[in-house]
Amino acid sequence: MIILISGASHTGKTALAQRVLENYHIPYLSIDHLKMGLIRSGLLSLTPQQDEKLTGTLWPVVREIIRTAIENHQNLVVEGIYIPEGWHLDFSSQELEEIRYCCLIMTEDYIRSHLSDIRKYADIIEKRIDDTGWTPEELAADNRRNLEMCRTYRYPYILIDHTYDVNLELTPPGNTAKALLWETVEQMFQNARSRKEEEPILEIVTDTHTYDIVYFEYGSIYLSNALDKRYGKLRELFDDLWLILEHRKILSLRIR
């Protein structure tokens, strides 16, 4: 499994990668380390502040590291800001089955109300030599762009709003497909709850039916297809859905 952790600076990418390392013993690659190694060695004639050019230069290298890890059946976490929009277009459908993506996004309310904490924990994992070149306004703008990007490409993301409670729970092989689908559904459900309105969460197209998971009032959902509609709690209906899906061919998943 390859885990990509993206997000703006100061959203906690390295801390999350460190947590995955400690909990699951999966090593991580910091794209920042790769960047500084290339710059300090003189192999790369860019400055650390040239983010757009750095992404164009670093991503082809990181992409092939990911592809090599997949071919070698290795687990790896890759974290950093230099994962471009549309990154998934560089991989085959078979390769994408081995990749899990997560973008950390702070809301503007969180940034305003937790600015001192963001500054305090900026170097909790890595001691930054100079961490003065950013402003809350720039941080908010970067997070807005990432949210728009995730919604455009339908990438999974973790929204950091009221409290900072970010973690990834990984499950052993054999139950991975169900666990990854569950995590996607659960995250979309939490995002929908914050809007307090009925809203489609996920469309699942199989070889026989299309299933819609829709957020409903009071924290429940309904699961529907052309022939059936069931109301209930998220976990219960998801387990019912999985009993159906494990005997069907899933053609596409679409986050609504």
Side-chain angles (χ1 to χ4, degrees):
M1 177 186 293
I2 308 299
I3 302 169
L4 304 183
I5 301 176
S6 183
S9 180
H10 294 82
T11 52
K13 299 179 298 299
T14 307
L16 180 57
Q18 179 71 26
R19 195 172 299 124
V20 172
L21 170 64
E22 294 170 354
N23 292 340
Y24 300 101
H25 310 290
I26 299 177
Y28 71 86
L29 167 67
S30 167
I31 308 179
D32 269 346
H33 290 170
L34 177 62
K35 171 189 73 176
M36 294 310 301
L38 290 170
I39 290 175
R40 288 180 168 178
S41 67
L43 294 175
L44 188 60
S45 57
L46 294 172
T47 68
Q49 290 73 39
Q50 293 177 284
D51 287 344
E52 186 173 344
K53 291 183 178 180
L54 284 167
T55 299
T57 301
L58 294 171
W59 175 246
V61 179
V62 173
R63 178 192 64 211
E64 297 310 315
I65 291 173
I66 293 169
R67 185 165 283 129
T68 300
I70 292 173
E71 292 172 353
N72 293 339
H73 304 287
Q74 294 173 294
N75 295 322
L76 179 66
V77 175
V78 177
E79 65 89 8
I81 66 172
Y82 304 105
I83 300 174
E85 296 185 10
W87 62 267
H88 68 286
L89 300 174
D90 287 342
F91 297 97
S92 68
S93 57
Q94 290 79 13
E95 290 169 331
L96 288 173
E97 290 179 2
E98 304 296 327
I99 300 174
R100 177 175 172 185
Y101 176 86
C102 172
C103 187
L104 305 183
I105 298 174
M106 291 177 172
T107 66
E108 294 186 45
D109 286 343
Y110 182 86
I111 293 170
R112 282 195 300 267
S113 58
H114 294 80
L115 188 57
S116 61
D117 288 335
I118 293 171
R119 295 188 187 278
K120 177 181 177 181
Y121 293 108
D123 62 353
I124 190 171
I125 299 296
E126 53 183 345
K127 305 303 178 185
R128 301 169 190 255
I129 297 174
D130 183 4
D131 192 43
T132 59
W134 66 277
T135 66
E137 293 75 21
E138 291 172 338
L139 181 58
D142 288 344
N143 278 271
R144 282 196 303 272
R145 282 192 292 270
N146 282 339
L147 182 57
E148 292 172 2
M149 180 264 295
C150 287
R151 287 175 172 170
T152 298
Y153 289 97
R154 304 188 185 281
Y155 290 152
Y157 59 90
I158 296 176
L159 196 64
I160 303 162
D161 193 2
H162 304 297
T163 59
Y164 195 98
D165 184 16
V166 175
N167 201 7
L168 288 178
E169 294 186 5
L170 308 181
T171 57
N175 202 30
T176 302
K178 181 180 180 181
L180 293 180
L181 180 59
W182 162 250
E183 182 162 321
T184 298
V185 171
E186 186 179 38
Q187 183 62 54
M188 294 304 101
F189 177 72
Q190 295 301 327
N191 293 342
R193 288 186 68 177
S194 67
R195 299 183 182 93
K196 299 181 180 179
E197 60 185 19
E198 184 173 333
E199 181 173 321
I201 298 175
L202 190 69
E203 177 189 75
I204 304 172
V205 179
T206 74
D207 52 355
T208 60
H209 291 92
T210 295
Y211 297 89
D212 286 307
I213 298 178
V214 181
Y215 173 77
F216 195 58
E217 60 185 356
Y218 308 121
S220 63
I221 66 165
Y222 64 81
L223 168 69
S224 68
N225 58 41
L227 303 176
D228 186 23
K229 182 179 289 187
R230 309 179 213 176
Y231 293 84
K233 295 299 181 182
L234 180 65
R235 182 78 241 192
E236 297 169 359
L237 289 187
F238 178 82
D239 287 339
D240 289 345
L241 174 64
W242 187 255
L243 291 175
I244 299 170
L245 294 181
E246 64 180 349
H247 299 294
R248 300 279 185 267
K249 182 179 181 180
I250 300 177
L251 300 179
S252 70
L253 300 175
R254 186 162 70 95
I255 298 172
R256 302 292 293 274

